[in-house]
Amino acid sequence: MSVLLDVQGVGKAFPTPDGSSLRVLDAISFGVGEGEFVCVVGPSGCGKTTLLQIIGGLLPPTDGRVVVGGEAITGPQRQMVVVFQQYTKSLLPWRTVEGNVHFALENLPLDAAERVNRVRSNLDTVGLAGFERYHPYQLSGGMQQRVAIARALAREPQIMLMDEPFSSVDAMTRQGLQDLLLGLWREFGKTIVFVTHDIEEAVYLSSSIVLLRGRPSHAVERFANELPYPRDQLATREDPRFLRYRRHVHELIGTATGG
Amino acid sequence: MGRTTRLRLGGFAVLGLLLVLWEVASRAALVNQVYVPPVSRIGGELWRLLLNGELARHLGASAVRFGLGYGLAVAVGLGIGLVMGYFRAGYLLLEPLIELLRPLPPPAIIPIAILFLGIENPMKIFVIAFACFFPIVVNTIQGIAGVDRVLLDTARTFGLTTREIIWKIVLPSASPNIVAGMRIALAIALILTVISELVASNDGIGFMILDMERAFRIPEMYAGIFTLMVVGYLLNRLFVVFESRTLAWYFGQSRRAQE
């Protein structure tokens, strides 16, 4: 498996109001192979979102670099998309569901028919056929996040970066979205970097886990998740290996509750 | 018939009753009949002015000033508001100037405007545009300041250019504020149209009212004032239609948020 995305010694410091600087991330290195589903897990406030923004080219690192397909990135890349946590804010409220997906395609070199085609098929993929003319506010949170996922898929990216995308929906919707995402991942062979503070979510989804800890955060461990696919909300979560991973992650990042 | 409908009809009844009282008071000479002629006579004069085309001539002259002044203010106000709202340098460079001009009561610039532009249409259009400019610029800046970070990041990850971000994200997102500014400016435009015509003119509805008063044609004076009321009312209704069309998504979203 070739390394598609390489995070090399990434650190980030922000200036503080008193003139000094606050270091949030320190020397974080890990590689992501093509087709991997990597979950980056760390406690709340550990800088996971910052790390994802750096990987997505939205924020320059203070030190280190992010290499995609052999080249260090300097800004957002065509082959990557980001799915944000706050779906209510990342969708365009004045556009319909299909308008939102279309938005992602408007600056790609595609003809009109191909755009319409991709809008249709990707909405279908996430189970939103029939909702094309709705506006985001007319949909539930889970459905809005599906629109965001359809929009990301429509660009046919190699890499999907996901920033706690399911943290603001209820538990049942979350499980549905997790299974939807796993299905898409297996079907389309995307490479996914998924940031979360929810340890069980990380163990349930990932093929590989990166653990962040400390202040500033650094990567303490990376291990392959051997749980077999396809995964199942009941069987997988009862698997002794699931429980072992869960305990292991808890112990390493030092949280007992995971909330 | 629902309670709301009944009360609404009642509202018209209150208006009608007042007009009847006016009529009776004037005919019974309870008030000075010269200063307060009966409503029926005012109506008769209004009808005559309508038929002989005089009212149309004055209204037409006012409409040109109003339309050009207001249109100019919307165009320039949006442009400057965008420059100030989106570009930090634009804001810092223009803010002192705007904040110094803004508290000036707009009629106070009429003498300067006459000095440079004369007493014909250019002066009037300038004065109307000047007064309408501020609410539009201030609201545009405020709207742009409220554009969500996540929305801008989404646009950036899709590789949109600054121009595309402005057209597809910033302006639609700020549109509720921009439209609110345009609504305030609409009322101001009507005020300044009349004021500019009172100061120096030989046509326009403002001129007509003053001219009739000077000629002691009091019923015609009232006819002009009644016309202004109706024009103002219709402009407002028209604006409400425009608003509910352009901001349907926004009102839908607000209703949803209150549920």
Side-chain angles (χ1 to χ4, degrees):
Chain A
M1 195 157 47
S2 62
V3 172
L4 181 60
L5 170 74
D6 207 12
V7 179
Q8 300 178 347
V10 163
K12 183 71 189 176
F14 289 106
T16 56
D18 64 19
S20 62
S21 79
L22 176 71
R23 184 158 274 275
V24 185
L25 301 172
D26 197 37
I28 293 179
S29 295
F30 62 91
V32 178
E34 203 175 334
E36 271 197 287
F37 194 139
V38 174
C39 278
V40 178
V41 192
S44 290
C46 77
K48 300 183 296 286
T49 294
T50 304
L51 177 62
L52 206 75
Q53 285 182 327
I54 292 171
I55 298 173
L58 290 169
L59 202 63
T62 308
D63 32 53
R65 59 183 195 156
V66 176
V67 176
V68 177
E71 278 190 53
I73 64 162
T74 56
Q77 302 295 299
R78 167 76 63 86
Q79 69 268 42
M80 291 200 285
V81 293
V82 183
V83 176
F84 295 93
Q85 177 184 2
Q86 309 99 318
Y87 49 81
T88 50
K89 293 176 177 173
S90 80
L91 296 180
L92 281 50
W94 53 90
R95 288 206 187 197
T96 58
V97 166
E98 62 183 359
N100 266 283
V101 180
H102 197 269
F103 171 69
L105 305 173
E106 285 163 13
N107 66 344
L108 295 181
L110 303 169
D111 60 53
E114 169 65 7
R115 288 199 183 110
V116 171
N117 220 347
R118 283 207 201 176
V119 170
R120 286 278 145 75
S121 65
N122 284 291
L123 282 175
D124 199 36
T125 302
V126 299
L128 283 179
F131 291 94
E132 289 85 354
R133 301 289 159 95
Y134 283 61
H135 276 83
Y137 69 85
Q138 296 168 309
L139 305 178
S140 68
M143 289 164 92
Q144 289 184 41
Q145 195 57 291
R146 282 169 195 255
V147 177
I149 292 171
R151 183 176 67 181
L153 287 174
R155 283 181 71 88
E156 301 189 347
Q158 274 183 290
I159 304 170
M160 287 177 75
L161 306 175
M162 308 189 81
D163 183 12
E164 307 207 31
F166 309 147
S167 64
S168 24
V169 295
D170 63 85
M172 241 147 89
T173 306
R174 186 179 314 141
Q175 295 197 345
L177 288 169
Q178 287 168 350
D179 291 333
L180 172 77
L181 181 64
L182 279 177
L184 297 175
W185 173 65
R186 284 162 58 80
E187 187 180 339
F188 297 109
K190 305 286 180 207
T191 303
I192 297 178
V193 179
F194 187 108
V195 152
T196 181
H197 65 261
D198 181 337
I199 292 169
E200 294 196 14
E201 179 169 71
V203 175
Y204 182 72
L205 291 173
S206 66
S207 66
S208 192
I209 291 182
V210 174
L211 295 176
L212 298 186
R213 188 175 69 177
R215 274 174 197 271
S217 291
H218 50 281
V220 281
E221 195 183 88
R222 184 215 162 105
F223 63 90
N225 180 346
E226 309 281 1
L227 283 165
Y229 290 100
R231 293 190 180 160
D232 177 88
Q233 291 289 356
L234 293 177
T236 302
R237 287 174 193 269
E238 285 164 354
D239 191 311
R241 285 169 293 186
F242 182 90
L243 301 174
R244 260 206 313 281
Y245 286 136
R246 187 171 150 243
R247 166 174 286 273
H248 180 68
V249 176
H250 269 302
E251 285 170 353
L252 263 172
I253 64 177
T255 57
T257 52
Chain B
M1 193 160 50
R3 183 180 156 78
T4 313
T5 321
R6 273 203 314 265
L7 286 174
R8 188 163 290 150
L9 288 175
F12 285 106
V14 169
L15 190 65
L17 190 67
L18 273 176
L19 288 174
V20 169
L21 273 178
W22 179 338
E23 178 79 21
V24 171
S26 180
R27 290 213 178 271
L30 295 174
V31 289
N32 186 332
Q33 229 177 48
V34 178
Y35 292 166
V36 188
V39 182
S40 54
R41 252 195 84 199
I42 297 171
E45 288 302 328
L46 188 57
W47 186 244
R48 194 181 57 78
L49 290 170
L50 211 59
L51 287 185
N52 71 10
E54 206 176 333
L55 195 62
R57 183 172 70 86
H58 289 300
L59 271 180
S62 294
V64 168
R65 290 162 195 148
F66 176 92
L68 289 176
Y70 183 68
L72 193 65
V74 171
V76 177
L78 254 175
I80 305 257
L82 184 62
V83 168
M84 290 179 71
Y86 193 70
F87 303 100
R88 197 172 155 66
Y91 184 79
L92 295 174
L93 286 174
L94 293 174
E95 198 246 4
L97 178 69
I98 297 282
E99 283 309 309
L100 207 65
L101 287 174
R102 194 156 71 100
L104 190 69
I109 62 141
I110 292 180
I112 311 174
I114 290 177
L115 205 58
F116 284 94
L117 299 169
I119 60 166
E120 300 299 327
N121 270 351
M123 176 277 283
K124 299 187 181 79
I125 292 165
F126 172 78
V127 171
I128 296 165
F130 178 85
C132 294
F133 168 78
F134 295 100
I136 294 173
V137 98
V138 169
N139 278 279
T140 302
I141 294 171
Q142 199 177 30
I144 293 174
V147 179
D148 203 275
R149 187 79 240 160
V150 178
L151 218 47
L152 293 173
D153 275 348
T154 302
R156 283 179 63 211
T157 61
F158 290 164
L160 268 66
T161 60
T162 301
R163 192 194 180 84
E164 288 170 325
I165 289 178
I166 286 171
W167 279 110
K168 292 185 180 178
I169 303 287
V170 174
L171 288 179
S173 194
S175 61
N177 290 76
I178 295 172
V179 171
M182 286 170 63
R183 183 199 260 284
I184 299 167
L186 194 73
I188 294 177
L190 197 59
I191 296 172
L192 266 294
T193 302
V194 172
I195 291 182
S196 72
E197 290 169 352
L198 290 177
V199 170
S201 200
N202 48 30
D203 56 9
I205 193 76
F207 164 78
M208 191 189 100
I209 292 169
L210 185 67
D211 195 44
M212 295 303 177
E213 190 267 333
R214 282 177 176 157
F216 226 69
R217 291 160 66 183
I218 303 302
E220 284 103 318
M221 180 195 82
Y222 279 108
I225 291 171
F226 281 14
T227 306
L228 262 180
M229 285 183 198
V230 173
V231 165
Y233 174 80
L234 289 179
L235 275 175
N236 233 324
R237 297 299 304 192
L238 210 66
F239 197 85
V240 168
V241 171
F242 161 75
E243 198 174 46
S244 58
R245 287 206 177 168
T246 43
L247 298 181
W249 62 273
Y250 178 72
F251 294 127
Q253 191 174 291
S254 311
R255 268 198 304 278
R256 184 67 178 238
Q258 281 163 9
E259 278 166 16

